[in-house]
Amino acid sequence: MPDGREVDQAELLGVAKDEERARSLLRALRTLSTGPDPKLREMAGGVLRGDLTAEQAFTDPEYTAALFSGADKIRRAGELRTEAEAREAGERFGAWQEARDTEDEGENQSPDQEPRPTPQPPSGPWRQSGTGGVGGVGGPGGLGASRSPGPFGHR
Protein backbone atom coordinates (compact mmCIF):
# COMPACT_ATOMS: atom_id res chain seq x y z
CA MET A 1 0.00 0.00 0.00
CA PRO A 2 2.85 2.50 0.37
CA ASP A 3 2.20 3.79 -3.17
CA GLY A 4 1.35 7.38 -2.21
CA ARG A 5 -2.36 6.82 -1.58
CA GLU A 6 -4.15 7.13 1.73
CA VAL A 7 -5.96 4.22 3.35
CA ASP A 8 -9.74 4.51 3.31
CA GLN A 9 -12.16 3.95 6.13
CA ALA A 10 -13.02 0.44 4.87
CA GLU A 11 -9.43 -0.57 5.61
CA LEU A 12 -9.87 0.58 9.20
CA LEU A 13 -13.00 -1.50 9.87
CA GLY A 14 -10.97 -4.33 11.41
CA VAL A 15 -10.03 -2.15 14.36
CA ALA A 16 -12.97 0.29 14.28
CA LYS A 17 -15.76 -2.33 14.05
CA ASP A 18 -18.30 -0.08 12.25
CA GLU A 19 -18.33 2.59 9.55
CA GLU A 20 -18.94 5.55 11.86
CA ARG A 21 -16.00 4.62 14.08
CA ALA A 22 -13.82 3.97 11.03
CA ARG A 23 -14.70 7.43 9.67
CA SER A 24 -13.90 8.96 13.06
CA LEU A 25 -10.60 7.07 13.26
CA LEU A 26 -9.62 8.25 9.79
CA ARG A 27 -10.34 11.86 10.80
CA ALA A 28 -8.31 11.42 14.00
CA LEU A 29 -5.37 9.94 12.08
CA ARG A 30 -5.44 12.85 9.64
CA THR A 31 -5.41 15.30 12.57
CA LEU A 32 -2.58 13.48 14.34
CA SER A 33 -0.56 13.32 11.11
CA THR A 34 -0.26 17.12 11.14
CA GLY A 35 -0.17 17.64 14.91
CA PRO A 36 2.66 18.88 17.14
CA ASP A 37 3.80 15.50 18.53
CA PRO A 38 6.46 13.94 16.25
CA LYS A 39 5.82 10.39 17.49
CA LEU A 40 2.08 10.69 16.82
CA ARG A 41 2.73 12.26 13.39
CA GLU A 42 4.97 9.30 12.57
CA MET A 43 2.37 6.78 13.74
CA ALA A 44 -0.60 8.42 12.00
CA GLY A 45 1.35 8.96 8.80
CA GLY A 46 2.42 5.33 8.79
CA VAL A 47 -1.16 4.10 9.17
CA LEU A 48 -2.50 6.54 6.57
CA ARG A 49 0.17 5.49 4.04
CA GLY A 50 -0.42 1.83 4.79
CA ASP A 51 3.13 1.31 6.08
CA LEU A 52 1.68 -0.18 9.27
CA THR A 53 -1.77 -1.36 10.29
CA ALA A 54 -3.89 0.37 12.90
CA GLU A 55 -3.52 -2.75 15.07
CA GLN A 56 0.28 -2.48 14.89
CA ALA A 57 0.19 1.24 15.69
CA PHE A 58 -2.14 0.84 18.66
CA THR A 59 -0.12 -1.96 20.20
CA ASP A 60 3.33 -0.42 19.73
CA PRO A 61 4.59 0.69 23.18
CA GLU A 62 6.12 3.96 21.91
CA TYR A 63 2.98 5.01 20.05
CA THR A 64 0.62 4.08 22.88
CA ALA A 65 2.81 6.01 25.34
CA ALA A 66 2.58 9.07 23.08
CA LEU A 67 -1.21 8.69 22.79
CA PHE A 68 -1.67 8.41 26.55
CA SER A 69 0.69 11.31 27.21
CA GLY A 70 -1.34 13.54 24.91
CA ALA A 71 -4.61 12.43 26.51
CA ASP A 72 -3.19 13.16 29.97
CA LYS A 73 -2.20 16.70 28.92
CA ILE A 74 -5.73 17.32 27.65
CA ARG A 75 -7.25 15.96 30.86
CA ARG A 76 -5.05 18.18 33.03
CA ALA A 77 -5.86 21.27 30.95
CA GLY A 78 -9.57 20.49 31.26
CA GLU A 79 -9.32 20.21 35.03
CA LEU A 80 -7.62 23.61 35.30
CA ARG A 81 -10.12 25.63 33.26
CA THR A 82 -12.86 27.79 34.75
CA GLU A 83 -16.60 27.14 34.39
CA ALA A 84 -16.85 29.99 31.85
CA GLU A 85 -14.00 28.51 29.82
CA ALA A 86 -15.66 25.10 29.99
CA ARG A 87 -18.99 26.48 28.72
CA GLU A 88 -17.25 28.36 25.92
CA ALA A 89 -15.28 25.27 24.91
CA GLY A 90 -18.47 23.20 24.90
CA GLU A 91 -20.21 25.72 22.66
CA ARG A 92 -17.25 25.83 20.25
CA PHE A 93 -17.11 22.03 20.22
CA GLY A 94 -20.84 21.82 19.45
CA ALA A 95 -20.49 24.27 16.55
CA TRP A 96 -17.44 22.41 15.23
CA GLN A 97 -19.23 19.06 15.51
CA GLU A 98 -22.29 20.37 13.61
CA ALA A 99 -20.05 21.74 10.85
CA ARG A 100 -18.15 18.44 10.64
CA ASP A 101 -21.38 16.41 10.51
CA THR A 102 -22.74 18.66 7.75
CA GLU A 103 -19.47 18.25 5.82
CA ASP A 104 -19.57 14.46 6.29
CA GLU A 105 -23.15 14.28 5.02
CA GLY A 106 -22.16 16.16 1.87
CA GLU A 107 -19.20 13.86 1.23
CA ASN A 108 -20.94 10.57 1.97
CA GLN A 109 -24.38 11.09 0.49
CA SER A 110 -25.25 10.18 -3.08
CA PRO A 111 -27.95 12.26 -4.83
CA ASP A 112 -30.56 9.47 -4.58
CA GLN A 113 -29.88 8.69 -0.92
CA GLU A 114 -32.22 9.67 1.92
CA PRO A 115 -30.79 12.25 4.35
CA ARG A 116 -29.38 10.84 7.56
CA PRO A 117 -31.26 11.67 10.75
CA THR A 118 -29.83 14.43 12.90
CA PRO A 119 -27.92 12.97 15.86
CA GLN A 120 -29.73 13.36 19.18
CA PRO A 121 -28.01 14.41 22.40
CA PRO A 122 -26.83 11.42 24.41
CA SER A 123 -28.87 10.10 27.26
CA GLY A 124 -28.00 7.86 30.13
CA PRO A 125 -25.13 8.02 32.59
CA TRP A 126 -22.90 10.19 30.36
CA ARG A 127 -25.39 13.02 29.98
CA GLN A 128 -24.28 16.06 31.92
CA SER A 129 -26.96 18.41 33.18
CA GLY A 130 -27.35 21.14 35.72
CA THR A 131 -24.00 22.12 37.21
CA GLY A 132 -21.63 22.92 34.38
CA GLY A 133 -22.86 20.34 31.82
CA VAL A 134 -22.88 21.25 28.17
CA GLY A 135 -25.67 19.34 26.50
CA GLY A 136 -24.30 15.93 27.38
CA VAL A 137 -20.90 16.33 25.74
CA GLY A 138 -18.36 13.88 27.09
CA GLY A 139 -18.35 11.47 29.98
CA PRO A 140 -17.69 12.09 33.62
CA GLY A 141 -15.49 15.18 33.69
CA GLY A 142 -15.99 15.52 29.91
CA LEU A 143 -16.15 18.76 27.98
CA GLY A 144 -17.87 21.45 29.92
CA ALA A 145 -18.69 19.27 32.88
CA SER A 146 -17.85 20.03 36.46
CA ARG A 147 -15.84 17.31 38.06
CA SER A 148 -16.15 16.65 41.73
CA PRO A 149 -12.80 16.21 43.43
CA GLY A 150 -13.79 12.93 45.07
CA PRO A 151 -12.40 11.75 48.38
CA PHE A 152 -8.76 12.42 47.48
CA GLY A 153 -9.07 15.86 45.88
CA HIS A 154 -8.23 16.80 42.29
CA ARG A 155 -5.67 14.75 40.40
Side-chain angles (χ1 to χ4, degrees):
M1 252 190 287
D3 55 8
R5 74 170 186 88
E6 182 181 274
V7 297
D8 62 17
Q9 70 186 45
E11 295 170 279
L12 299 173
L13 281 173
V15 71
K17 306 297 183 212
D18 64 47
E19 289 184 24
E20 183 60 35
R21 289 181 183 163
R23 184 173 23 260
S24 181
L25 177 57
L26 186 57
R27 275 195 303 261
L29 288 168
R30 287 175 180 154
T31 300
L32 290 172
S33 73
T34 60
D37 187 299
K39 191 52 85 174
L40 293 178
R41 279 196 314 265
E42 175 186 308
M43 181 269 301
V47 174
L48 289 171
R49 285 188 308 274
D51 295 341
L52 73 154
T53 67
E55 291 89 350
Q56 290 170 323
F58 298 145
T59 57
D60 180 281
E62 289 183 47
Y63 295 146
T64 54
L67 283 167
F68 283 112
S69 173
D72 189 51
K73 288 176 189 171
I74 291 169
R75 181 190 58 79
R76 280 195 311 265
E79 288 176 347
L80 295 175
R81 68 184 175 195
T82 66
E83 287 295 320
E85 290 169 329
R87 277 191 297 279
E88 181 183 335
E91 290 167 3
R92 283 195 322 262
F93 178 76
W96 170 83
Q97 196 169 36
E98 284 180 25
R100 186 195 70 187
D101 290 346
T102 301
E103 182 180 300
D104 282 351
E105 286 177 11
E107 289 177 4
N108 298 325
Q109 201 169 43
S110 63
D112 59 335
Q113 190 177 18
E114 291 288 321
R116 288 192 293 180
T118 304
Q120 298 300 313
S123 61
W126 301 118
R127 182 177 182 81
Q128 300 291 325
S129 61
T131 59
V134 180
V137 180
L143 289 174
S146 292
R147 185 178 185 140
S148 82
F152 303 109
H154 285 288
R155 287 190 253 180

